[in-house]
Amino acid sequence: MFAKDIISNEGRVSFTAAVKGIKGYADTEFEIKLASFGKINVENAIASVALAVALGIPSEFIVSGLSKAVAPGRMEVFRSDDGKKIVLVDYAHNKLSFEALFENISNEFPSRDISIVFGAPGGKALSRREELGSLAGKHCAVSYLTEEDPGEEDNLKICNELAGFVKASGGTFEVIPDRGDAIRKAINDAGENRIVIVAGKGRETRIKRGTVYVDAPSDVELVKAALSGN
């Protein structure tokens, strides 16, 4: 069992699964198109194919399953109807996840620059603000700084702190305290040669303000609405 003819084109990944010499399963090859983003997922996919084959699952069900399988809120890709605007939603919220995200984006979309929507939580991991701001300033054409669970801290103060670190790393930024407004602005500003990252909240439907969590649209909902012009 192995993968061959791996193709990755702006986040769309396909490969041929070659099945050889497995008892009870005829030698065959079939094309897999992944719903999940990036060439990084091919190893996981071929492992899933091997397990499914070992269990005797027909290839058409394997192909169908992997064409739909995603981890909700984790590197989910959304596109405008004309395919020109691309937005990636991810839970990335610390140094390691930001570094991995920027590396994957640069590999998968080498012809596009990057903009990012993100914030930082209030009252904890204060060093994270410098780390995230510095990385965004280094890798992104524009950073849209916004609300992300500010808690009992002032949201605008957090955004301005992040802005200082973005600027110190040579980056350009906009402070837009409302998360929905920030996502809409980032998507509206993006041309055909840019990918927009919306980082931090994924499919979460609550945001911490003060000492309580309040209901809020998920990043996925906000992205879909912005791409449809709402």
Side-chain angles (χ1 to χ4, degrees), residues 65-190:
L66 285 173
S67 72
K68 302 170 185 174
V70 295
R74 178 65 66 191
M75 297 185 80
E76 286 194 74
V77 176
F78 301 91
R79 303 170 193 265
S80 58
D81 289 340
D82 61 10
K84 293 179 179 180
K85 293 192 176 186
I86 301 177
V87 185
L88 186 144
V89 176
D90 192 72
Y91 285 114
H93 63 281
N94 59 31
K95 180 182 179 182
L96 289 177
S97 56
F98 260 46
E99 288 175 336
L101 187 59
F102 289 134
E103 180 180 0
N104 287 326
I105 292 293
S106 296
N107 289 337
E108 298 291 336
F109 298 89
S111 64
R112 291 180 181 253
D113 64 17
I114 301 169
S115 64
I116 187 169
V117 180
F118 74 103
K124 61 180 181 180
L126 300 182
S127 62
R128 185 183 300 171
R129 298 176 193 179
E130 179 176 2
E131 294 167 349
L132 301 191
S134 297
L135 285 167
K138 177 181 177 182
H139 291 282
C140 299
V142 187
S143 296
Y144 298 86
L145 307 171
T146 192
E147 183 179 31
E148 186 178 318
D149 297 324
E152 295 181 85
E153 272 197 79
D154 180 70
N155 178 43
L156 186 57
K157 171 181 172 290
I158 296 173
C159 292
N160 286 331
E161 284 185 17
L162 288 168
F165 296 120
V166 172
K167 184 176 180 180
S169 292
T172 299
F173 64 87
E174 289 191 41
V175 172
I176 305 177
D178 181 270
R179 195 167 181 91
D181 289 345
I183 290 172
R184 281 188 291 273
K185 183 68 161 56
I187 292 173
N188 289 338
D189 286 352

